[in-house]
Amino acid sequence: MARMTDKKNTDGSDSGIDRRTFLKTSAGAAAAAGVGSAGMAATQEASAQSDTEEGWTASGSCWDCHQLCGQRVKIQDGKATELKGVDGHPRGSAGEGRDGTLCSKGHAQIEKAYDPYRIKEPHVRKNGELKKVSWDEALQEAADLFREFKDEHGPEKLMLMHGYDTDDMWTKLLMNIYGSPNKVGHTTICHGPWSDTWAWMGGVGRPWGDNKNAEYIINWGRNEMESFNGQWQPKGILDAKEKNDATLVTIDPRYTKTAQHSDTWIPIEPRADGALALAMGNVIIEEGLYDEEFVDNWTYGFEEYRQAVADKTPEWAEDETGVDAETIRKTAIGFAEAAPNCHISIWTGITNAGNGHKTAQNIHALNGLVGNLDRPGGHRFFKATVDLADPYGEAGVEFPANHEDVPQVLSDYEEYPFHHVRGLSYTVLPEAVQNGDATGLFAYWANPLKNSATQEWFDALDELDMIVAIDAYWNGMTRRADVVLPESSQLEKPMFGAGGPGSYSQRGWVTGSKAAIEPQWNTKPGFDILKGLSQKMGYGNYVPWDSKEEKINDALSGMGLTLDELDEKSFVFGDEYGYESWKDGGFNTATGKFEFVLDNVEAYVKAAEQAGVSTAPEYIPAGEFGQMPDDEYPLEFTDTFVEQISRGGDQTLDHSKELLAERWGLEHKDYRGNYLLINPEDADPRGIEDGNMVTVESPAGSISLMAHVTEGIKPGYVTTSWGWGEGSITPDEEGGNSMMLHSADQIEPVIGMADRHIKVEVTNGGEQ
Ligand SMILES: Nc1nc2c(c(=O)[nH]1)N[C@H]1C(S)=C(S)[C@@H](COP(=O)(O)OP(=O)(O)OC[C@H]3O[C@@H](n4cnc5c(=O)[nH]c(N)nc54)[C@H](O)[C@@H]3O)O[C@H]1N2
Ligand SMILES: Nc1nc2c(c(=O)[nH]1)N[C@H]1C(S)=C(S)[C@@H](COP(=O)(O)OP(=O)(O)OC[C@H]3O[C@@H](n4cnc5c(=O)[nH]c(N)nc54)[C@H](O)[C@@H]3O)O[C@H]1N2
Ligand code: SF4
Ligand SMILES: [Mo]
């Protein structure tokens, strides 16, 4: 445990809390709060305590995975010392009267608040080096840089990159007023292929399942019991199993936590999911199990779909997918017989591939076939039935529209078909930088160096004329910035959100909290940073509020509610709403129907033509757009999430890393990085044993990781968790950046999604 105290104090000042004391007080709760049934049961004990008990005097809202699970915060001597969940919370519990909990990442928010790795002071680059400066100087420097940039390059050369944000002011400031049209968020590194396809076909929001009313759930290329967005998802699945005796099927080349809870685990050949989906459609039609009434009256393109699946029998799919025909038949029948109380949860396991959008279309089509759309237990079209006021309207602020609707950065990129469907692709931006189409970057809560094409991004960041960043940590990107504006973490600022998806599938809600503790060191909440920047840029009149609290109160005025009241309650309900919303006005498509075929979506038609794919569901074998393992690189690699770590920002958290090491039984090793999961069949011939350091090599680069040899992954497939190594927050510690293995030409051709299926070879031995 010596490593618990050897954390570098990156920019001088002290962390403000004794690390050992913190770990002693919070370790029990955090360790218990893993995930799924075991973890949640353990934290329920904590939440059984009364909220009025001494010390639990503040509220919080966890934003680590963007879902705002409600928190109660114990404050002792001005410090947050313990967290617990809020009963009945729409995101943190399974519904009314149910215990509220926090997952291990939620509990880690205390460690994050006092994390010495955080950026503690504003910084400005002077004579090539980042120097600590006052807020006034940093904001002035940022404003000056933006002004000079606009004069020299024009606002259309500025890229705006964001991950989560905690205030929307930055888009108003840098798009509406300043005039940059180039906003790039998560779409082409996270969900684009399924979310775009879902929307084009007629889906609303994301294909979130109505878990608690479900009888059959397929977890497809997703690990929902581990990488959940908000705890309502895994809790809802466990509820469905317990109360409805629901069947859970997991389709994944890994034996994930979700697979462990499942009735059936289908270890599919990676990227062959499109074939499986078509074969399931074939069975459902052959068996006459589709929803004829829904298909006849509410869908478009069924004949083409029927033709597309006519010869895609389970026997045909068996060869493609490695899944036996009987299992395919049984799954298709089980799913269709449970309809409409059935749904499919998909995410990065489907999207992360060159054929991802077409696979997603084939999978979404199954929902149209069985008619589970916005029906109980099916895919919910969640609504936010709360009467929020527009805070800008309340304050009488109107914005100009100085930006174009279409991103400019890629205007020269005619050869990329995705340009016509969706403006900016994360993975192609380094090339835009090299071509001089993008010359500046504003990054809010985003570090591109770990998301795709890392080497190209390193080169691109070096080329840029200006980088301004709002971030909480020193990472590869902030270390390269010209101005660094440190944001306070979630416990240090007011938080607010309105649902949306959550455990109440028939009620809207709002949730929020005031700051539980003071901003740490010399950091500021995002709102305050953006207000300061607006003033320095001469746009101060667009921010009429003195504080974020005031702005939230303006929004809440529509509900006759104040932030003080919301903070006390943690969440407040809106009205109830019903199912089958499409019956009122139809689906949001050209035909008003759910569309199997995308020939009415102009942008898609053009992109599909350029990529050489059909507008109808079809099977695109893995190698068509993407790498295939070969003699030199015989294994297939993708990276995945782990329960203990949230995306690219938690790699500094000692306790989280300790939990991860314990999880793989490797806590006795002097290594706290990411681990390569490899099957004994692949490890043995390479002389690799559990806990060995190994080198993973692809055509693009190589990294060193510690191997965890496990039967829980399909032979031929290897994986690790991402966000570590070069360019991350902990570049000098253990762990490797998986995207050093990736290059910018690995891209899905319709939406521009990063294709992270990479051919690799693994050898024993590697640097630690
Ligand atoms: N703990 C934690 N939770 C998170 C996050 C986090 O950082 N940490 N991030 C959140 C975010 S932003 C997102 S987008 C979601 C993502 O949530 P998920 O999509 O559930 O993410 P993963 O855990 O990577 O799961 C993807 C699964 O797909 C499998 N897979 C890979 N290739 C294929 C394939 O070709 N076919 C099939 N069928 N499966 C395949 C992988 O083995 C993996 O188990 O998680 C969210 N939740
Ligand atoms: N290799 C690989 N890359 C992936 C994925 C993958 O599966 N594999 N998944 C992708 C997915 S699904 C998503 S959604 C994206 C997300 O990727 P990004 O949008 O880049 O977001 P994060 O990784 O969450 O965080 C980026 C940085 O935000 C900073 N940060 C942490 N906390 C705070 C805070 O409180 N305030 C501010 N201002 N900054 C903070 C940290 O420095 C962190 O490095 O990543 C994608 N990248
Ligand atoms: S599920 Fe997400 S929002 Fe909820 S406690 Fe965990 S990390 Fe925080
Ligand atoms: Mo994501």
Side-chain angles (χ1 to χ4, degrees):
M1 298 291 269
R3 60 176 55 252
M4 288 289 188
T5 50
D6 66 7
K7 215 175 221 192
K8 264 180 283 167
N9 206 343
T10 41
D11 61 2
S13 46
D14 196 16
S15 76
I17 188 173
D18 170 54
R19 206 152 189 84
R20 282 183 184 281
T21 314
F22 160 70
L23 286 166
K24 235 165 57 195
T25 52
S26 68
V35 72
S37 43
M40 281 163 192
T43 28
Q44 279 159 18
E45 267 173 50
S47 62
Q49 300 163 30
S50 145
D51 283 354
T52 53
E53 197 185 317
E54 206 186 335
W56 295 97
T57 48
S59 297
S61 307
C62 181
W63 198 241
D64 213 46
C65 81
H66 190 86
Q67 294 295 307
L68 289 161
C69 292
Q71 296 166 322
R72 298 289 180 214
V73 190
K74 187 174 253 184
I75 306 286
Q76 288 169 319
D77 300 328
K79 301 271 173 211
T81 54
E82 234 178 293
L83 299 173
K84 64 180 178 180
V86 174
D87 295 349
H89 192 279
R91 291 274 169 74
S93 98
E96 208 150 1
R98 311 296 300 272
D99 290 321
T101 54
L102 297 169
C103 75
S104 68
K105 292 166 288 143
H107 278 286
Q109 294 313 301
I110 293 188
E111 198 176 346
K112 191 165 174 180
Y114 304 117
D115 190 349
Y117 271 80
R118 279 180 46 186
I119 307 169
K120 297 167 184 159
E121 303 282 342
H123 281 70
V124 163
R125 189 169 296 282
K126 294 180 179 176
N127 300 322
E129 275 190 39
L130 278 169
K131 299 277 187 219
K132 218 187 277 192
V133 295
S134 67
W135 271 104
D136 190 65
E137 188 177 343
L139 292 168
Q140 188 61 55
E141 177 69 13
D144 291 347
L145 281 181
F146 278 127
R147 199 171 303 121
E148 287 161 21
F149 184 87
K150 192 171 186 171
D151 291 345
E152 204 175 312
H153 303 264
E156 66 282 353
K157 299 249 165 145
L158 178 67
M159 291 183 280
L160 309 175
M161 177 174 285
H162 70 108
Y164 300 153
D165 58 30
T166 45
D167 194 279
D168 64 351
M169 260 310 296
W170 68 274
T171 56
K172 312 278 183 203
L173 177 66
L174 292 169
M175 298 186 81
N176 290 60
I177 315 176
Y178 184 78
S180 166
N182 307 305
K183 184 166 83 156
V184 61
H186 291 163
T187 308
T188 56
I189 44 170
C190 171
H191 52 82
W194 65 247
S195 57
D196 283 0
T197 311
W198 177 247
W200 292 329
M201 292 171 87
V204 171
R206 307 265 171 96
W208 300 116
D210 183 4
N211 283 321
K212 78 170 107 170
N213 295 312
E215 288 166 18
Y216 204 100
I217 301 172
I218 303 183
N219 186 86
W220 198 330
R222 171 108 222 251
N223 181 12
E224 213 167 357
M225 303 297 280
E226 168 151 7
S227 53
F228 44 84
N229 269 25
Q231 303 159 91
W232 60 279
Q233 291 182 303
K235 288 181 179 186
I237 293 176
L238 293 176
D239 256 15
K241 282 185 70 63
E242 197 183 309
K243 295 189 177 153
N244 314 342
D245 199 20
T247 303
L248 179 62
V249 174
T250 290
I251 305 171
D252 196 308
R254 274 196 311 151
Y255 187 58
T256 58
K257 287 216 169 171
T258 317
Q260 288 165 35
H261 282 274
S262 297
D263 300 275
T264 307
W265 171 43
I266 302 181
I268 194 168
E269 200 54 49
R271 296 180 284 169
D273 306 84
L276 178 59
L278 293 179
M280 283 174 63
N282 172 290
V283 173
I284 293 169
I285 292 175
E286 286 294 310
E287 300 283 331
L289 288 173
Y290 67 95
D291 183 338
E292 255 186 276
E293 197 277 330
F294 182 80
V295 167
D296 287 350
N297 296 310
W298 291 101
T299 70
Y300 165 84
F302 177 64
E303 263 324 299
E304 269 179 271
Y305 177 69
R306 187 202 283 273
Q307 282 163 28
V309 302
D311 58 349
K312 302 293 179 284
T313 59
E315 285 69 24
W316 164 82
E318 197 170 81
D319 285 346
E320 298 293 330
T321 59
V323 182
D324 65 87
E326 204 33 55
T327 303
I328 299 176
R329 243 184 212 103
K330 194 173 145 218
T331 308
I333 292 171
F335 178 71
E337 282 183 343
N341 312 109
C342 62
H343 60 262
I344 303 170
S345 176
I346 73 171
W347 209 317
T348 62
I350 300 305
T351 57
N352 259 335
N355 59 4
H357 83 280
K358 195 49 84 175
T359 305
Q361 187 181 1
N362 296 352
I363 293 175
H364 292 328
L366 292 170
N367 298 313
L369 198 57
V370 303
N372 62 9
L373 296 148
D374 208 24
R375 282 178 163 158
H379 286 284
R380 202 64 180 101
F381 293 178
F382 285 96
K383 282 185 216 152
T385 56
V386 285
D387 213 359
L388 286 180
D390 163 23
Y392 295 101
E394 289 297 301
V397 182
E398 276 181 40
F399 290 95
N402 292 335
H403 61 294
E404 305 278 333
D405 284 340
V406 180
Q408 295 289 297
V409 160
L410 290 179
S411 56
D412 293 337
Y413 285 70
E414 285 297 318
E415 70 268 32
Y416 292 111
F418 54 77
H419 168 54
H420 305 286
V421 195
R422 157 166 294 293
L424 291 173
S425 157
Y426 218 94
T427 309
V428 88
L429 283 173
E431 197 179 328
V433 174
Q434 298 299 351
N435 290 349
D437 288 325
T439 52
L441 172 66
F442 168 78
Y444 187 1
W445 205 315
N447 172 16
L449 290 169
K450 58 190 175 36
N451 294 337
S452 65
T454 296
Q455 188 53 56
E456 285 95 333
W457 267 111
F458 270 121
D459 297 342
L461 292 185
D462 284 348
E463 287 293 311
L464 288 170
D465 280 4
M466 176 188 80
I467 304 176
V468 175
I470 301 179
D471 206 290
Y473 284 97
W474 288 113
N475 58 35
M477 207 268 310
T478 45
R479 284 179 209 282
R480 283 167 175 75
D482 300 297
V483 180
V484 181
L485 306 169
E487 181 167 10
S488 309
S489 78
Q490 62 189 38
L491 288 173
E492 303 153 56
K493 59 193 173 197
M495 303 290 288
F496 174 60
S503 51
Y504 300 96
S505 52
Q506 282 165 274
R507 296 189 86 166
W509 45 269
V510 289
T511 186
S513 52
K514 300 189 288 188
I517 54 172
E518 290 293 309
Q520 296 301 294
W521 301 289
N522 195 13
T523 64
K524 282 182 190 286
F527 172 89
D528 299 64
I529 298 173
L530 293 163
K531 180 175 167 77
L533 194 55
S534 304
Q535 285 168 332
K536 295 286 187 196
M537 290 174 83
Y539 306 147
N541 53 321
Y542 292 104
V543 194
W545 310 278
D546 283 335
S547 66
K548 178 79 172 188
E549 283 90 337
E550 272 184 31
K551 188 177 172 191
I552 295 174
N553 274 323
D554 272 358
L556 287 174
S557 64
M559 294 178 72
L561 193 66
T562 65
L563 183 58
D564 278 343
E565 290 160 347
L566 185 57
D567 181 79
E568 203 171 293
K569 298 185 164 102
S570 180
F571 64 95
V572 169
F573 287 121
D575 292 337
E576 287 204 19
Y577 55 91
Y579 290 92
E580 297 183 334
S581 51
W582 38 266
K583 283 199 168 158
D584 182 17
F587 288 89
N588 187 23
T589 55
T591 56
K593 296 180 173 183
F594 180 84
E595 301 197 347
F596 287 108
V597 179
L598 295 173
D599 55 4
N600 290 316
V601 184
E602 202 184 315
Y604 183 82
V605 172
K606 192 167 177 185
E609 195 182 320
Q610 291 195 8
V613 300
S614 165
T615 53
E618 72 175 330
Y619 177 52
I620 299 181
E624 206 157 315
F625 306 112
Q627 296 183 347
M628 287 302 277
D630 53 27
D631 288 348
E632 202 179 344
Y633 302 104
L635 299 171
E636 179 159 347
F637 170 94
T638 68
D639 50 22
T640 54
F641 293 89
V642 273
E643 167 193 324
Q644 293 78 8
I645 304 283
S646 190
R647 310 209 320 203
D650 287 354
Q651 283 76 3
T652 67
L653 305 177
D654 286 328
H655 193 75
S656 303
K657 288 192 287 193
E658 206 55 37
L659 290 176
L660 184 58
E662 280 168 22
R663 171 178 182 176
W664 302 129
L666 291 167
E667 66 274 20
H668 55 287
K669 296 278 187 181
D670 189 23
Y671 176 94
R672 292 297 179 271
N674 44 346
Y675 300 83
L676 185 81
L677 271 50
I678 182 166
N679 188 282
E681 263 185 46
D682 298 315
D684 292 349
R686 292 171 173 81
I688 296 167
E689 289 178 17
D690 197 44
N692 284 171
M693 289 305 294
V694 294
T695 300
V696 187
E697 192 177 352
S698 78
S702 74
I703 55 171
S704 295
L705 303 174
M706 182 170 280
H708 173 53
V709 179
T710 169
E711 297 278 358
I713 187 157
K714 201 176 157 65
Y717 175 62
V718 289
T719 176
T720 191
S721 60
W722 58 277
W724 309 72
E726 246 175 295
S728 75
I729 306 172
T730 53
D732 302 325
E733 297 184 13
E734 302 95 64
N737 183 339
S738 49
M739 290 297 101
M740 291 304 293
L741 304 171
H742 185 261
S743 60
D745 58 359
Q746 292 172 271
I747 194 164
E748 180 276 332
V750 173
I751 283 139
M753 174 77 188
D755 169 7
R756 299 197 194 93
H757 283 257
I758 306 170
K759 58 179 184 179
V760 298
E761 176 56 302
V762 180
T763 46
N764 201 4
E767 284 170 29
Q768 185 161 332

